[in-house]
């Protein structure tokens, strides 16, 4: 299925800052609240 | 007076930009200190153990770590060429990069939290060029030249 | 006269800030290159286990540019939330290692 930024958070190896991972962790911890 | 107002706004924009760049520089400094400290630690261990650790007991940087509770069931699908992976978890997980692991290992001497002993600060400074040592001191005390410098005087 | 003085003062300040910003840009480039030069660093499995007290760990090594997608969790049919990670590389195989203390 094609995912769009609003339905998924993205991270690129050697391309995204650590903050992107923090955003993903916060989203997961928040039960899916982006 | 209008030009004055424009310059005031220009000045604030620049100060904000410098603040962000300074924060980015400090993050890079943390990485440099952590990496160099790790290399030194590995060298000391290899000297003590008379050789490097077994290959299957180490992980080369860079890497990401996904951590989840021991009770989590992980379902994994892998493409034949290993170009694509799909993980399904029945519980929450966290994802951290290698810099976060090195911070947790204490490789950046607690500088990221502003908690650093004077001895550690000295060692940390020895891992960066002299021109950048002041940034390391600022990280340790949590202060920044913008607070001390122009902003205060201009108000 | 006061406004003109203020104007001169601001111009000098902005010139200082410009110099400071240029210096920061150069230092950032230098640090990025210096970090790239630190190669072949490794951590041990034990190092990693000590950082995540007792969790199950997946260590992922992937080529530059590999995409990691985390869909926003949705409720599955069984009423349980589904959490997913999708890894996609376009240039080489991805290595995933399961690590836990046992």
């Amino acid at each position: 299925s094609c995912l769009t930024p609003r339905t998924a958070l993205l991270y690129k190896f050697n391309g995204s800052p650590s903050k992107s991972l923090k955003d993903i962790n916060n989203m997961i911890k928040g039960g899916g609240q982006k | 007076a209008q030009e004055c107002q424009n310059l005031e706004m220009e000045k604030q924009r620049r100060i904000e930009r410098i603040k962000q760049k300074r924060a980015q520089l400090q993050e890079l400094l943390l990485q440099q200190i952590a990496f160099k400290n790790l290399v030194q630690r590995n060298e000391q261990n290899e000297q003590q153990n008379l050789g490097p650790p077994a290959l299957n007991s180490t992980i080369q940087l860079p890497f990401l770590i996904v951590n989840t509770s021991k009770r989590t069931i992980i379902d994994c699908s892998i493409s034949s060429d290993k170009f694509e992976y799909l993980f399904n978890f029945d519980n929450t997980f966290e994802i951290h990069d290698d810099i976060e692991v090195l911070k947790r290992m204490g490789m950046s001497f607690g500088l990221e939290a502003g908690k650093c002993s004077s001895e550690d600060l000295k060692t940390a400074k020895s891992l960066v060029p002299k021109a950048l040592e002041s940034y390391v001191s600022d990280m340790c005390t949590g202060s920044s030249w913008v607070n001390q410098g122009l902003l205060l005087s201009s108000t | 006269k006061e406004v003109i003085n203020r104007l001169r003062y601001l111009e000098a300040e902005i010139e200082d800030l410009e110099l400071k910003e240029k210096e920061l840009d150069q230092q950032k480039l230098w640090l990025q290159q210096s970090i790239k030069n630190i190669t072949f660093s490794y951590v041990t499995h034990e190092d990693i286990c000590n950082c995540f007290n007792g969790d199950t760990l997946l260590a992922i090594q992937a080529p530059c540019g590999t995409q990691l997608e985390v869909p926003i969790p949705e409720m599955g049919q069984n009423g349980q939330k589904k959490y997913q990670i999708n890894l996609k590389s376009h240039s080489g195989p991805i290595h995933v290692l399961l690590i836990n203390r046992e």
Side-chain angles (χ1 to χ4, degrees):
Chain A
S1 61
C2 100
L3 297 175
T4 62
R6 278 186 307 107
T7 59
L9 293 187
L10 305 172
Y11 171 87
K12 191 167 264 197
F13 282 70
N14 295 96
S16 297
S18 300
K19 186 179 175 306
S20 304
L21 292 177
K22 286 188 175 62
D23 293 343
I24 288 173
N25 292 338
N26 289 337
M27 184 270 284
I28 292 287
K29 205 183 303 174
Q33 299 309 312
K34 193 161 171 228
Chain B
Q2 180 60 50
E3 198 176 339
C4 250
Q5 222 179 8
N6 292 345
L7 283 183
E8 281 285 1
M9 285 193 292
E10 171 66 17
K11 178 187 154 189
Q12 288 311 315
R13 273 198 297 275
R14 284 174 183 272
I15 284 180
E16 275 312 306
R17 236 190 2 248
I18 284 177
K19 247 193 234 173
Q20 283 173 16
K21 289 186 175 181
R22 184 183 171 81
Q24 287 167 8
L25 194 73
Q26 284 183 332
E27 181 57 31
L28 285 174
L29 270 172
L30 278 176
Q31 288 181 30
Q32 163 109 342
I33 289 167
F35 278 152
K36 285 203 164 184
N37 196 11
L38 175 67
V39 169
Q40 283 182 359
R41 195 259 343 222
N42 287 346
E43 279 167 0
Q44 284 161 12
N45 285 352
E46 287 176 14
Q47 276 165 20
Q48 278 171 21
N49 305 326
L50 303 176
L55 262 184
N56 61 0
S57 70
T58 64
I59 291 205
Q60 201 84 13
L61 276 74
F63 57 82
L64 289 187
I65 291 287
V66 176
N67 66 293
T68 184
S69 156
K70 210 184 244 319
R71 288 181 301 283
T72 304
I73 294 172
I74 305 175
D75 172 60
C76 174
S77 312
I78 309 174
S79 63
S80 55
D81 57 8
K82 287 198 172 184
F83 276 46
E84 205 166 331
Y85 284 69
L86 176 63
F87 294 98
N88 279 295
F89 301 78
D90 69 349
N91 199 345
T92 59
F93 56 78
E94 286 178 351
I95 305 176
H96 300 283
D97 58 12
D98 41 14
I99 305 300
E100 177 60 23
V101 171
L102 295 186
K103 285 175 184 173
R104 293 190 185 201
M105 287 168 60
M107 288 293 113
S108 49
F109 302 105
L111 276 168
E112 67 279 5
K115 295 191 190 83
C116 182
S117 69
S118 54
E119 192 58 34
D120 282 345
L121 177 60
K122 208 165 97 187
T123 312
K125 280 183 175 179
S126 72
L127 300 173
V128 301
K130 213 159 245 335
L132 301 178
E133 283 184 7
S134 61
Y135 290 105
V136 179
S137 308
D138 288 347
M139 275 196 272
C140 191
T141 55
S143 71
S144 76
W145 69 267
V146 176
N147 296 336
Q148 297 159 7
L150 291 176
L151 250 188
L152 276 178
S153 64
S154 63
T155 51
Chain C
K1 190 164 175 342
E2 196 180 311
V3 169
I4 287 174
N5 283 343
R6 179 80 189 138
L7 201 62
R8 295 281 166 273
Y9 184 72
L10 280 171
E11 281 167 350
E13 273 192 317
I14 285 179
E15 212 174 297
D16 279 347
L17 288 175
E18 193 163 354
L19 287 174
K20 183 64 189 166
E21 192 167 359
K22 276 203 181 100
E23 184 192 53
L24 280 170
D25 289 340
Q26 277 170 342
Q27 286 164 342
K28 180 179 177 181
L29 283 174
W30 185 92
L31 262 179
Q32 281 170 335
Q33 188 52 52
S34 169
I35 287 171
K36 265 192 195 136
N37 294 342
I38 301 173
T39 52
F40 304 118
S41 304
Y42 62 83
V43 293
T44 64
H45 293 182
E46 193 174 351
D47 288 332
I48 296 177
C49 287
N50 289 341
C51 294
F52 294 97
N53 51 20
D55 278 359
T56 293
L57 306 171
L58 294 174
I60 303 172
Q61 290 169 300
C64 275
T66 297
Q67 277 189 328
L68 181 147
E69 291 171 338
V70 176
I72 293 178
E74 292 162 1
M75 201 61 81
Q77 273 112 21
N78 55 5
Q80 249 196 321
K81 276 212 169 172
K82 284 194 316 177
Y83 300 94
Q84 270 185 350
I85 294 178
N86 189 354
L87 292 171
K88 197 173 291 182
S89 163
H90 299 289
S91 54
I94 300 166
H95 298 290
V96 179
L97 189 64
L98 177 66
I99 303 175
N100 57 27
R101 201 174 291 283
E102 289 75 25

